[in-house]
Amino acid sequence: MDNKNSLYPSVEKFYSTRMLTTEQMVHDRELAEQYLSILKQAAVKNSPLYVDGDFVSHGVTMCCANPIGGILITGINPSFNPHFPYGGYYTFRDAIQNGKSYWKNKREQLFGNDNSLIEKTAYLDLFPYSESNQNKFQDEIDTNVKCFQVSVLEITLSEIERLSPKLIIAANKQTSYYWGIKKDSTWLGYNLQVVDKSQQPDFLMEKDIRLYQIVGGSGYKDANDRIGQDKYPTTKGGTSNLLGAYFIDYALYDNRHRQKYSQRFLTPHIVREFYNWIE
């Protein structure tokens, strides 16, 4: 991997063509360097994760300039883009305006043409390393070395806490698992409590939205492969910035899901109404 260092794109170059703040650039550069440092350790030939040409050689692909205190969409990891074989950077707004398929669907489903809400939305992959086959990626990091997952998630957890979203929308089942939908999973250490239907806003009453609220920390069960809020306090005093935030367990993508799961399908109107209700 060392001989490829010069091929990895720089955050500075990305920001040089955009009217974004120096403060944002410095933060994103430091964040990318932390993620890249872990990847470099995993990419040596005697590492359990090393497979020539696999995700360990793809660099970091990361959303930049994420806004604080709004909506957070989380994925598990980005797909590999052959046009950017050594990673790259993007903003959520640019990605959904210029991207295809996945991002096009996300815009249509969640925001429509509501640019004011888009400006409040951050995107974060829990693992910002490119691999198109998510099951393959998950199998490799599960089977080969769990300390890799811990190291990456400690960085991601710190960034989640910095972003302090009021509403989190999980973009797939795998990311929901790490957040703690299943009680035997304490990776990020959040205690998600189901919001009773009687406590949900009126516009959700006819829907079957899987809605949770973060009510505290769940702790961790296995020191070897869990991080948890009490093991890795990310804010002063170890108290999460996300207390009270709402979490939607959501993994629906296209019109096939719209027809099959019509009562669970989010729309721009619902997202806007729900965000206003939280505010």
Side-chain angles (χ1 to χ4, degrees):
M1 184 158 182
D2 290 338
N3 64 346
K4 296 178 181 176
N5 284 347
S6 61
L7 299 177
Y8 295 122
S10 71
V11 173
E12 290 87 347
K13 184 176 180 180
F14 171 81
Y15 271 84
S16 68
T17 61
R18 291 162 176 80
M19 298 297 291
L20 301 171
T21 69
T22 300
E23 182 180 7
Q24 287 175 325
M25 181 196 71
V26 170
H27 169 77
D28 288 335
R29 179 188 64 203
E30 292 175 350
L31 182 62
E33 287 176 350
Q34 291 180 69
Y35 282 128
L36 190 58
S37 175
I38 294 174
L39 202 61
K40 288 177 180 178
Q41 297 174 39
V44 295
K45 289 192 175 182
N46 61 350
S47 164
L49 275 178
Y50 179 81
V51 178
D52 191 22
D54 211 346
F55 79 89
V56 293
S57 65
H58 294 166
V60 171
T61 299
M62 189 180 82
C63 187
C64 293
N66 278 323
I68 293 173
I71 298 172
L72 173 63
I73 298 177
T74 63
I76 195 72
N77 73 283
S79 295
F80 177 68
N81 187 336
H83 297 293
F84 303 98
Y86 300 108
Y89 308 99
Y90 60 95
T91 66
F92 180 77
R93 181 180 179 85
D94 289 342
I96 61 178
Q97 285 181 336
N98 303 325
K100 299 178 181 179
S101 61
Y102 178 84
W103 287 115
K104 180 176 182 293
N105 287 340
K106 279 289 170 282
R107 178 185 178 116
E108 291 177 352
Q109 284 184 37
L110 302 177
F111 304 105
N113 296 316
D114 192 343
N115 288 327
S116 65
L117 205 57
I118 291 171
E119 295 290 351
K120 296 181 175 71
T121 301
Y123 182 85
L124 193 66
D125 279 309
L126 301 186
F127 301 91
Y129 308 120
S130 299
E131 170 57 62
S132 296
N133 187 329
Q134 288 192 343
N135 289 332
K136 176 174 178 283
F137 176 82
Q138 195 67 53
D139 286 343
E140 289 182 358
I141 62 175
D142 276 341
T143 304
N144 292 320
V145 52
K146 288 190 175 181
C147 63
F148 175 83
Q149 295 185 74
V150 173
S151 298
V152 175
L153 288 174
E154 284 182 344
I155 297 171
T156 301
L157 175 60
S158 182
E159 181 65 3
I160 289 169
E161 290 287 331
R162 187 189 75 87
L163 293 174
S164 305
K166 298 179 177 70
L167 172 62
I168 303 106
I169 301 175
N172 59 38
K173 292 179 181 179
Q174 288 175 318
T175 193
S176 292
Y177 169 78
Y178 282 100
W179 278 88
I181 289 296
K182 293 183 178 180
K183 294 305 180 184
D184 63 345
S185 168
T186 57
W187 283 99
L188 292 176
Y190 292 112
N191 185 1
L192 300 178
Q193 179 176 297
V194 175
V195 178
D196 188 86
K197 200 68 178 175
S198 64
Q199 301 299 315
Q200 295 182 20
D202 292 342
F203 55 84
L204 289 184
M205 289 302 173
E206 300 302 319
K207 290 288 185 178
D208 183 24
I209 303 296
R210 296 179 179 177
L211 182 63
Y212 300 79
Q213 190 171 27
I214 295 176
V215 297
S218 63
Y220 67 100
K221 298 178 181 178
D222 186 340
N224 294 319
D225 62 8
R226 299 288 188 267
I227 49 179
Q229 296 289 338
D230 54 349
K231 181 182 179 185
Y232 187 69
T234 56
T235 56
K236 292 181 180 179
T239 302
S240 173
N241 286 331
L242 272 63
L243 288 179
Y246 288 91
F247 181 95
I248 296 178
D249 180 21
Y250 192 69
L252 308 183
Y253 296 97
D254 53 34
N255 286 329
R256 292 173 301 169
H257 293 130
R258 184 188 298 274
Q259 295 167 6
K260 188 174 182 180
Y261 304 106
S262 60
Q263 293 304 104
R264 289 184 52 205
F265 215 81
L266 289 174
T267 65
H269 173 73
I270 292 175
V271 175
R272 163 54 70 184
E273 288 291 308
F274 191 61
Y275 188 76
N276 289 341
W277 180 78
I278 294 173
E279 288 279 86

